Amino acid sequence: MVMPVSPSTSPLMDLDARSREVFQRLVDTFVETGEPVGSRTLARKMSVSVSPATIRNVMADLEQGGLLYAPHTSAGRLPTELGLRMFVNGLLEVGALDAGEREHIATLCQAAGRSLEGMLEEATRLLSGLSRCAGLVIAPKADAPVKHIEFVHLGPGRALVVMVEANGVVENRVVEVPPGVPLSALVEATNYLNARLAERTLDEAREAVLGELESDRSLLDDLSRKVVAAGLATWSDDRSGAALIVRGQGNLLHDVTAAQDIDRIRALFDALEAKEQVLRMLDLVICADGVQIFIGAENDLFTLAGCSMIVAPYQNSREEIVGAIGVVGPTRINYRRIVPLVDYTAKVIGRLIG
C-alpha cells in the first residue's frame, strides 16, 4: 500500500520517473544505513542502467528542490525533513505483518491480564522491542461513567480502591483508612457508592455523594463515611489530562556518536519526561483517522531532537477513541515496517479493552 498524498502539495508530482526512483532508492538506503548516499551506490540499485554522472545531476535537481542536502561538500546526499515527508506521503509502500508477528503481538497483550494499565505497559515494551525505538502509549483519563467501585482490605489502616469505568479502564489506588476499620465498613462504603454511580462520572458522583453525606449524616456510620471520603479523594487531584507511559528510551541512543546528536537525544528525553508536549499531540491523533506520522520539526516536541513519531489511536467497542500508542525514533525510522506494527497493535488493544 502506498501512503496517499495530495497532488497539489507534493513536489514529487513534478518529478519524472527516473528522478522519483532515484529519490526513493536514496531514502530507502538512508533508512537502512543512516549514512549519506552516493551516486555510485544508487547506480547499483536502479531498476535500469543509469550512470553515476546522470544520477549526480538528478540528485543536484532534488537538492535544489529542497528534498535532499549534502552534509559535507564531498559526501553523498541525505533526505531533508521535507523530503522524508514527501517520501512518506507519496512513495512509502507499507509492508504487512506476517501471521506469526500478529499472533505474537496479540498473545503478549492478552497475557498481560485484564488490567488496562498492565496491557498498555506490555504493548509499549513490545513495540519498543520490535521497532528498536522508544515505545509510548497515551491513555487519556477520559471522564467516563464509573461502572463499579470496590474497597478491599489490605491491612491495618490501608485499603485498595478498585475502580472500573464504563470504557473498560481499570484503575487501582491504595488509600489510608482509619486504623481498626472493620470489613463491614468497607462493604458498606462499597455498596453505598455503587448505588450512586449509575451513569455518573467520578467527578459527578463525588460532588453528589459528598453533598449528600454533609446534609444527612445518618446515611453511613462514621467509619464508613471516612472510607468513602478517602476513596473519592484519592482521584480528586488526578483526573485531568492523560497518562503517558514511555519505554525503551535507551534505543534512541543506538548508532548515536556525535556530541550534537547526543545533546539532541537528551533534549528529547527531557521533553518525554515533561510529557506535556506528547500529551498535546493526542488531540491531533484524535482529530485524524488511522496512523499518524510526525517528522522532525513538524512538531515542537522534535524541533531539537531530529526524531519522528508514528502513532495510532485505539478505540473501545463503541468506536470511541480512548488513547493512542506509537513509537519515537530517529527520522530514519523504518517507516515501512513500523507503520503496520503500530496500526495492528492499536487494533489489538481496541479489541481487548472491549
Side-chain angles (χ1 to χ4, degrees), residues 99-110:
E101 289 175 316
R102 292 196 298 271
E103 183 178 359
H104 179 61
I105 293 171
T107 299
L108 286 182
C109 289
Q110 207 159 10

Side-chain angles (χ1 to χ4, degrees), residues 1-3 31 87-88 92-106 109 123 126-127 130-131 290-293 309-313 325-327 333-349 351:
M1 178 178 69
V2 177
M3 301 291 284
V31 167
F87 171 80
V88 165
L92 177 62
E93 296 180 358
V94 177
L97 301 181
D98 60 39
E101 289 175 316
R102 292 196 298 271
E103 183 178 359
H104 179 61
I105 293 171
C109 289
L126 177 66
L127 270 185
L130 291 175
S131 66
V291 180
Q292 302 297 303
I293 301 173
M309 174 187 282
I310 299 176
V311 63
I325 188 165
V327 303
I333 197 169
N334 190 338
Y335 301 94
R336 179 177 289 112
R337 170 165 170 74
I338 295 175
V339 166
L341 273 177
V342 170
D343 185 44
Y344 184 74
T345 304
K347 288 181 170 61
V348 167
I349 291 174
R351 289 200 299 270

Side-chain angles (χ1 to χ4, degrees), residues 88-343:
V88 165
N89 283 4
L91 293 175
L92 177 62
E93 296 180 358
V94 177
L97 301 181
D98 60 39
E101 289 175 316
R102 292 196 298 271
E103 183 178 359
H104 179 61
I105 293 171
T107 299
L108 286 182
C109 289
Q110 207 159 10
R114 297 183 62 186
S115 164
L116 178 63
E117 183 178 357
M119 180 174 60
L120 294 178
E121 285 264 8
E122 185 58 45
T124 308
R125 290 193 193 94
L126 177 66
L127 270 185
S128 174
L130 291 175
S131 66
R132 288 185 284 184
C133 297
L136 58 84
V137 64
I138 307 168
K141 295 183 183 299
D143 214 13
V146 179
K147 183 178 180 181
H148 181 75
I149 194 167
E150 185 170 354
F151 294 89
V152 180
H153 179 70
L154 291 181
R158 297 170 75 240
L160 177 70
V161 188
V162 182
M163 186 180 72
V164 183
E165 294 181 354
N167 60 11
V169 173
V170 179
E171 294 192 61
N172 303 312
R173 297 283 193 282
V174 176
V175 299
E176 295 183 2
V177 295
V181 64
L183 292 178
S184 60
L186 298 182
V187 172
E188 185 177 7
T190 295
N191 293 337
Y192 173 82
L193 281 177
N194 283 319
R196 289 156 175 80
L197 287 175
E199 303 301 321
R200 283 175 168 172
T201 67
L202 189 67
D203 287 340
E204 292 169 345
R206 181 174 181 273
E207 184 177 351
V209 165
L210 294 180
E212 183 179 79
L213 290 177
E214 184 66 27
S215 62
D216 188 351
R217 303 189 67 83
S218 65
L219 290 171
L220 290 174
D221 63 39
D222 187 56
L223 284 177
S224 297
R225 185 191 312 276
K226 290 179 179 178
V227 170
V228 168
L232 293 176
T234 191
W235 272 283
S236 62
D237 296 326
D238 191 29
R239 298 297 301 169
S240 61
L244 173 66
I245 302 170
V246 182
R247 295 292 180 267
Q249 295 98 314
N251 288 335
L252 297 175
L253 295 172
H254 289 173
D255 303 323
V256 174
T257 55
Q260 61 267 31
D261 291 336
I262 294 177
D263 289 341
R264 285 198 296 267
I265 295 300
R266 284 175 178 161
L268 175 61
F269 283 177
D270 290 342
L272 291 174
E273 186 66 25
K275 298 183 180 181
E276 286 86 355
Q277 285 279 41
V278 183
L279 296 178
R280 280 202 292 269
M281 294 182 72
L282 179 62
D283 292 336
L284 299 177
V285 177
I286 288 177
C287 294
D289 182 28
V291 180
Q292 302 297 303
I293 301 173
F294 301 92
I295 299 175
E298 291 176 349
N299 190 277
D300 291 342
L301 178 67
F302 307 125
T303 300
L304 298 176
C307 290
S308 293
M309 174 187 282
I310 299 176
V311 63
Y314 55 88
Q315 302 176 327
N316 60 19
S317 59
R318 297 185 296 279
E319 298 186 351
E320 299 167 336
I321 292 176
V322 294
I325 188 165
V327 303
V328 176
T331 51
R332 70 177 188 91
I333 197 169
N334 190 338
Y335 301 94
R336 179 177 289 112
R337 170 165 170 74
I338 295 175
V339 166
L341 273 177
V342 170
D343 185 44

